[in-house]
Amino acid sequence: LALARLMKRDAIPLIMPFLDDPTPRVMGDAIDALGRLRAEPAVFKIRALTQHPDSYIREKARRALKKLV
């Protein structure tokens, strides 16, 4: 997401809702963005996404968690 490219932590609450988007690409981009921002508020939700049925989302979540913890 473009908001994360600005590296503004103010963007975190704006990005968080996209973790629930039904489109895997949108959800994956949100996971990436929150990982880049090291968004601690997203850790719980991203950790849960490591159990997502879609392998693309699971992998994105695992990579983001490495940046967050």
Side-chain angles (χ1 to χ4, degrees):
L1 292 171
L3 290 171
R5 288 191 191 110
L6 297 174
M7 294 306 288
K8 302 284 185 182
R9 295 189 59 79
D10 296 341
I12 292 170
L14 301 173
I15 298 169
M16 292 279 295
F18 291 104
L19 292 177
D20 296 315
D21 195 277
T23 310
R25 176 62 192 244
V26 172
M27 188 185 297
D29 286 350
I31 294 167
D32 285 344
L34 291 165
R36 280 196 302 274
L37 290 170
R38 291 176 170 61
E40 292 89 11
V43 170
F44 181 78
K45 178 67 176 177
I46 292 174
R47 186 170 286 133
L49 291 173
T50 63
Q51 302 302 312
H52 194 275
D54 187 317
S55 63
Y56 171 77
I57 298 301
R58 289 193 307 269
E59 182 59 28
K60 290 281 189 175
R62 282 192 286 271
R63 288 182 186 185
L65 282 174
K66 288 179 183 177
K67 297 175 185 175
L68 290 167
V69 286

